Amino acid sequence: MVKGEKLPVCACRLCGELKPLRHSHIFPRFYWDWLKRTGSGYFREAKKPNVKIQDGHKRYLLCHDCETRFSAWETATAQHVFKPIVADPTKPVSYDAWFYRFLVSVLWRSLAIDLDDRPEVIHPDFRAVEEAWRAFPFGPTASQLLFASARFRY
C-alpha cells in the first residue's frame, strides 16, 4: 500500500463487512518475489505480452483483518515449506493445520476472482465450494474444506 493512499470502502470478499479494502495479492507475495529473483525480474500478461509487470496480480479484495489472518498462514508457509523446498527439494518439510488453511486461502482467492469476473463460465456447483472455503478461516476443520469440492462432479 502506498502511504497516504485512500483505500476503497466496500464489503470484504471474505468476511463481508463494510471496511476499507487492501490491495491483496491473489497468489502470495513470497511466490512473486521468488519468481522475480529467479527469473527476468518482470512478468507479462498473455493479453499484453509487450508490457512488463513488476508484481503479481492484486485486487481490492480483503479488509485489513482478513488480510492479516491470511498473512500469518503465508508467512508460516514461506518459512517452513516454500523456502526449505526451494533450498533442498529432497529434504522433507513439516507442516501443521496452518498449511491447509494457507492452501484453502489460495484456492478460495482464485475461485472468488473467477466467480466475480467470469460467472458465466463457472459451473454453478462451485458457488457452494466457494462458500465453504470462505467460511474456513472462521471455523471448519481443514480436512472438511479441502475436500468440500469432492461433491462436485464434472
Side-chain angles (χ1 to χ4, degrees):
M1 180 172 95
V2 177
K3 189 172 181 149
E5 177 185 7
K6 185 169 173 88
L7 299 175
V9 176
C10 298
C12 172
R13 190 65 171 78
L14 185 65
C15 70
E17 293 184 30
L18 192 62
K19 294 181 176 181
L21 299 184
R22 304 286 301 271
H23 210 199
S24 308
H25 281 96
I26 306 307
F27 291 94
R29 183 180 186 102
F30 71 80
Y31 167 76
W32 295 109
D33 289 346
W34 175 77
L35 283 177
K36 282 190 344 187
R37 280 193 315 274
T38 60
S40 69
Y42 295 97
F43 310 109
R44 297 178 190 274
E45 290 183 335
K47 292 180 182 178
K48 300 177 189 174
N50 295 327
V51 178
K52 291 180 181 179
I53 301 170
Q54 294 186 8
D55 201 0
H57 297 287
K58 293 181 180 180
R59 284 287 178 89
Y60 287 104
L61 188 69
L62 303 172
C63 68
H64 174 76
D65 294 338
C66 291
E67 182 79 32
T68 300
R69 185 183 308 255
F70 282 2
S71 180
W73 305 328
E74 291 171 4
T75 299
T77 298
Q79 291 174 349
H80 301 292
V81 177
F82 189 80
K83 289 178 183 176
I85 287 174
V86 168
D88 184 357
T90 64
K91 187 176 178 183
V93 295
S94 297
Y95 54 86
D96 205 338
W98 49 262
F99 186 58
Y100 294 109
R101 293 188 183 281
F102 164 76
L103 293 173
V104 171
S105 77
V106 173
L107 292 170
W108 172 79
R109 283 178 267 193
S110 182
L111 180 56
I113 293 300
D114 277 349
L115 287 171
D116 290 348
D117 289 355
R118 305 175 320 141
E120 70 283 353
V121 299
I122 304 297
H123 192 284
D125 288 350
F126 276 117
R127 293 205 181 280
V129 173
E130 187 274 332
E131 288 174 17
W133 286 347
R134 186 172 2 110
F136 182 52
F138 306 106
T141 66
S143 59
Q144 288 173 316
L145 288 177
L146 274 175
F147 301 105
S149 61
R151 297 184 304 244
F152 176 75
R153 295 180 189 216
Y154 295 93

